[in-house]
Amino acid sequence: MRNPLARYLARARAMQFHYLLASLILLLAVYPYVGAGTTGPAALKVLSSFILITGVYAVSNRRRQVVIAALLAVPAFGLGWLYVITGNPVIGTAESVFTLLFYAFTALVGLSRVLGERRITTDTIYGAVSVYLLMGLTWATAYGLVESISPGSFFSSHPDGAFTFPTFIYYSFVTLATLGYGDITPITDQARSLAVLETVSGTIYIAVLIARLVAAAGWLPETGRE
């Protein structure tokens, strides 16, 4: 019994970023279809709760990281569901702060692990993709926080002009990938500063990641190369 359990735990440990990436892709793929209607906020909160849980597991290699991640994830989880129930904007702002810090912390830990691994595995690749998607969600949360504190920070050419978290997810990844469709425009200096920082971070991340993967390929012994 001990050996199969040990093998299962070792396999699960080697797939930490698999679960996080799956929850991230699930959110990005499903949110356009569940975000509308009266049940939309609760459905989105279920999806984001999966990210909080799998994010804590993804950084569970070290006790300090787990403690910090849990201290950020638990308030984000509780405040998020409390905001869905009450609709209190103050609670929503507090939730955004904890969620922003959690996403940023998880992304930084993931980046550190990806850049520090000498042996590139499938989980390393999944971790690199997870970091990129977490960057998009981090900036999306930051945009929502800025808009909630200072309404009118963004302008939309869409007829309804409503700024919701799904709207900022779209705008964040468009900015991160430097597509710049122009249908949503930052108006205030604070919003423009965030957009600039996201554009730069996305470009630098791709460049550093490619360089890291090339360097890792050079570390492989001759017998390990194909």
Side-chain angles (χ1 to χ4, degrees):
M1 291 296 295
R2 186 173 298 178
N3 288 337
L5 179 59
R7 287 197 298 268
Y8 174 78
L9 293 176
R11 183 178 180 182
R13 179 68 64 180
M15 297 176 60
Q16 287 176 298
F17 283 113
H18 286 59
Y19 307 119
L20 176 58
L21 180 59
S23 63
L24 289 167
I25 293 176
L26 181 64
L27 172 65
L28 296 177
V30 174
Y31 84 86
Y33 308 99
V34 301
T38 56
T39 60
L44 287 174
K45 196 55 59 183
V46 170
L47 296 174
S48 62
S49 296
F50 285 141
I51 296 177
L52 294 175
I53 296 170
T54 56
V56 172
Y57 180 67
V59 301
S60 60
N61 277 5
R62 297 181 180 178
R63 180 176 299 179
R64 180 180 298 179
Q65 293 175 354
V66 176
V67 171
I68 296 175
L71 289 176
L72 296 174
V74 171
F77 182 91
L79 290 171
W81 281 105
L82 190 60
Y83 175 67
V84 170
I85 296 171
T86 64
N88 190 319
V90 176
I91 295 176
T93 300
E95 180 222 350
S96 296
V97 171
F98 280 102
T99 302
L100 172 64
L101 293 175
F102 175 81
Y103 287 158
F105 175 76
T106 306
L108 288 174
V109 172
L111 178 62
S112 176
R113 285 181 55 186
V114 168
L115 297 181
E117 290 287 343
R118 288 182 61 90
R119 180 172 175 267
I120 301 299
T121 63
T122 302
D123 198 53
T124 307
I125 301 299
Y126 286 5
V129 179
S130 297
V131 169
Y132 188 78
L133 298 183
L134 280 171
M135 289 171 62
L137 290 180
T138 301
W139 292 110
T141 306
Y143 294 137
L145 187 59
V146 168
E147 179 65 21
S148 67
I149 296 175
S150 179
S153 296
F154 295 86
F155 168 78
S156 175
S157 61
H158 297 285
D160 54 7
F163 288 104
T164 61
F165 184 62
T167 303
F168 285 121
I169 290 179
Y170 159 76
Y171 174 70
S172 177
F173 280 96
V174 167
T175 304
L176 187 65
T178 66
L179 293 176
Y181 288 133
D183 52 345
I184 300 175
T185 307
I187 301 299
T188 63
D189 290 338
Q190 293 80 7
R192 290 174 177 175
S193 175
L194 290 179
V196 170
L197 290 173
E198 181 174 21
T199 302
V200 172
S201 66
T203 304
I204 292 177
Y205 179 76
I206 296 299
V208 171
L209 180 62
I210 293 176
R212 172 65 183 87
L213 294 178
V214 171
W219 283 337
L220 291 177
E222 293 294 334
T223 55
R225 295 180 182 175
E226 296 181 357

